[in-house]
Amino acid sequence: MARILITSGPTRQYLDPVRYLTNASSGRMGRALAEAVIQAGHEAVIVSGPVEIDYPPEAEVHPILSTEDLLEECLSLFPDCDGMFGVAAPCDYRPIKTAAQKLSKTGSGLVMNLIETPDVIAMLGSIKQHQWIVAFALETQDQRIRAQQKLERKNADLIVLNGPDALDSTQTQVEVINPQGAVLADLEGKKSDVAAELFALVRRQFAHSFGQASA
Amino acid sequence: MARILITSGPTRQYLDPVRYLTNASSGRMGRALAEAVIQAGHEAVIVSGPVEIDYPPEAEVHPILSTEDLLEECLSLFPDCDGMFGVAAPCDYRPIKTAAQKLSKTGSGLVMNLIETPDVIAMLGSIKQHQWIVAFALETQDQRIRAQQKLERKNADLIVLNGPDALDSTQTQVEVINPQGAVLADLEGKKSDVAAELFALVRRQFAHSFGQASA
């Protein structure tokens, strides 16, 4: 039995106690992958930002809020896992500081100085031992080139490229790209079906993790 | 029968096709007020940002995304209504421009120039005729003073003061304040109960809208 880490959902980066930066990630692809993992008899460990969906009861779920929380939780869980799907859409910028009180409107503008949050997958990619890492990339232009650059920067083993239409949707369309830039699969349909096919591909690619030559 | 406008939920202000500023408003207080309005035999017209909850099937629901959308929809609906509850938590800052493509990380910071979005309730307050307006204020400090200033600036008839704990919660605790600064009610409990008590208070205060001396 393999133990698979799945990051899922969005993260939030707060400007003040009320307002935050985020995105519309719903957690549905993370849930679909957890279901595929569990149905195949493996363990799903989910680190998830705030989502409205329910994860499978068999999954071990660790809720987080910010990208920093996501990193901390993953650093603690990753060493005991055999591989991971980085499906979360972490907010990758944060205000330099979060105001302790709600910012009041003054009638004039506001300059928000943002800095990048840590790249969670790249951090895990830099410390991985036996684990495989499947990252996700959401791109709106030069999609394949950017996805492959991300794969390299994150030291991932595969990258799953999708577009913004996948956010907060039940459907998706993805390309699975390897470090050589080859498109191993082009999957389209319900997230549950795409997740099942993606997990089957992962079991073939990283058969060593699943204790057998092919699953 | 009175026709009551209810704004509900958060709005989103996009930086690029993926990232946006928002808050955790769930739409639950808006839904609870719509239920109270419908149960009392009146019409509920809801203008709502993106929420995961379902509104009552009897309500007329107008979905919107940004604060600008909220304003436009309210300007069109408000003249035919008898009063309104401004329960939405509109995002009150927006980036000066929204990038057409997803912003790529560069390794350095990002300066986001924000400007204020229109104050929807204040705009409606400036054109109101026979309508009553109940605004909501979420404050984290100097709560009563700020709430009363908001009531004046928005030309509202009552303001309902709550704290950040009410966001994305099933419970709430509110004070209902009139233009003279008097606290007319201090309500606490499930949002459905607080909404029913608040609507009863509104029917007493603005009995003319409901076609009788008391409802």
Side-chain angles (χ1 to χ4, degrees), chain A residues 102-117:
Chain A
K102 188 181 173 193
L103 300 169
S104 281
K105 289 166 78 172
T106 59
S108 55
L110 183 69
V111 176
M112 203 161 74
N113 285 298
L114 302 174
I115 53 172
E116 291 187 2
T117 55

Side-chain angles (χ1 to χ4, degrees), chain B residues 13 28 43 51 92 110 119 191 201:
Chain B
Q13 303 296 149
R28 288 195 187 93
E43 277 180 21
V51 293
D92 39 19
L110 182 70
D119 185 327
K191 284 184 177 174
L201 184 154

Side-chain angles (χ1 to χ4, degrees), chain A residues 157-177:
Chain A
D157 300 286
L158 291 176
I159 194 149
V160 180
L161 166 63
N162 56 22
D165 293 347
L167 277 175
D168 203 17
S169 171
T170 56
Q171 303 279 317
T172 192
Q173 189 270 318
V174 306
E175 285 183 358
V176 185
I177 300 171

Side-chain angles (χ1 to χ4, degrees), chain A residues 11-13 47 62-75 118 120:
Chain A
T11 63
R12 295 179 182 173
Q13 302 298 147
V47 184
H62 300 258
I64 54 90
L65 211 52
S66 69
T67 303
E68 291 82 357
D69 299 342
L70 176 67
L71 176 62
E72 197 174 332
E73 203 70 37
C74 286
L75 284 174
V120 176

Side-chain angles (χ1 to χ4, degrees), chain B residues 1 16 31-32 47 56 68 94 104 115 117 160 167 169 193-194:
Chain B
M1 188 167 68
D16 66 19
R31 175 175 66 183
V47 184
E68 292 81 356
R94 70 170 177 88
S104 280
I115 53 172
T117 56
V160 180
L167 277 175
S169 170
D193 295 336
V194 169

Side-chain angles (χ1 to χ4, degrees), chain A residues 41-122:
Chain A
H42 301 288
E43 277 180 22
V45 182
I46 302 174
V47 184
S48 178
V51 293
E52 295 288 331
I53 58 148
D54 292 317
Y55 290 110
E58 300 89 347
E60 177 185 321
V61 181
H62 300 258
I64 54 90
L65 211 52
S66 69
T67 303
E68 291 82 357
D69 299 342
L70 176 67
L71 176 62
E72 197 174 332
E73 203 70 37
C74 286
L75 284 174
S76 140
L77 294 164
F78 184 66
D80 294 326
C81 291
D82 298 292
M84 79 167 292
F85 290 102
V87 199
C91 193
D92 39 18
Y93 287 99
R94 71 170 178 86
I96 288 180
K97 63 178 261 202
T98 302
Q101 301 292 344
K102 188 181 173 193
L103 300 169
S104 281
K105 289 166 78 172
T106 59
S108 55
L110 183 69
V111 176
M112 203 161 74
N113 285 298
L114 302 174
I115 53 172
E116 291 187 2
T117 55
D119 185 328
V120 176
I121 305 287

Side-chain angles (χ1 to χ4, degrees), chain B residues 148-177:
Chain B
Q148 209 185 333
Q149 286 167 343
K150 276 193 182 173
L151 183 153
E152 282 166 28
R153 198 169 63 233
K154 292 170 191 283
N155 196 26
D157 301 287
L158 291 176
I159 195 149
V160 180
L161 167 63
N162 56 23
D165 293 348
L167 277 175
D168 203 18
S169 170
T170 56
Q171 304 278 317
T172 192
Q173 188 271 317
V174 307
E175 285 184 358
V176 185
I177 300 171

